[in-house]
Structures are given as structure tokens and as C-alpha cells.
Amino acid sequence: MPGQITFSVQLPPVPANGDVDSGELTVKIGDDLEFNRTFAPSDSLIVDEAFVGPQGATVHLSMVYIDDAGNRSANPAVFDGTLLDTVPPADPAAPSLVITGEV
Ligand SMILES: [Ca+2]
């Protein structure tokens, strides 16, 4: 059964003296799901229970910074990725012998 893949979003460091009061992240999973999240300049990782999608789904990230006057970055930063299953299965228990006779 194909699994659902969960993920978080790693944010880049905010540039020094970047005039950043907050940020806005848009996460689009596949063709149907889209979420907008705001973050603080000190945030480095966005963890959200909504960030889950089917294995192989495309994910589009877009983010801008917003200053204290409400101005937004001129050009959003974007990232396109795929929800790859990089999680290995559970470790197996040890096999054992079944003695079947003496010859
Ligand atoms: Ca400004």
C-alpha cells in the first residue's frame, strides 16, 4: 500500500538588515491542497500536521517576506519537489532454524 509522506519545511536564514517583519509560506501539495502559513523571522522550520501527501505527489513551495509596513518581497522564492519515500521499512526480527530430522 503506498504510504502517505509527511514533511516539514526548512526556511532559509533571513538576510541581515533585510527589513523583514514576518514571512508567508505557501505550500501546494499535488493539484488540490494549498496552505498559507505565516512565520516569524526567527523561525527556521515549519512543522504542520497538514503537511502530508501521497507518495510521489509534487510539492510546490513559495515564500515572501513582509516588512512592518506590509510591503512584500518583489520576487517570491520557490521550490518544487516530490514526496519521495526515503523511510526504510522496519528492521526484521532474526530468523531461526526449524530442525526437520536426522539422516
Ligand atoms: Ca520596508
Side-chain angles (χ1 to χ4, degrees):
M1 184 181 80
Q4 295 282 306
I5 307 296
T6 60
F7 62 97
S8 299
V9 176
Q10 180 76 56
L11 298 172
V14 172
N17 304 315
D19 192 20
V20 176
D21 187 61
S22 65
E24 185 178 281
L25 172 73
T26 300
V27 179
K28 189 172 184 187
I29 305 169
D31 295 328
D32 301 325
L33 295 175
E34 185 170 319
F35 304 98
N36 290 302
R37 297 290 184 266
T38 56
F39 58 89
S42 59
D43 291 342
S44 60
L45 189 69
I46 307 277
V47 178
D48 195 306
E49 288 184 357
F51 293 170
V52 57
Q55 187 177 317
T58 58
V59 175
H60 178 78
L61 307 177
S62 177
M63 60 172 275
V64 294
Y65 293 136
I66 304 168
D67 71 8
D68 57 4
N71 299 306
R72 300 166 71 86
S73 304
N75 300 296
V78 298
F79 174 85
D80 287 295
T82 303
L83 294 181
L84 298 176
D85 180 359
T86 59
V87 181
D91 294 338
S96 61
L97 301 178
V98 177
I99 304 301
T100 57
E102 178 181 357
V103 294

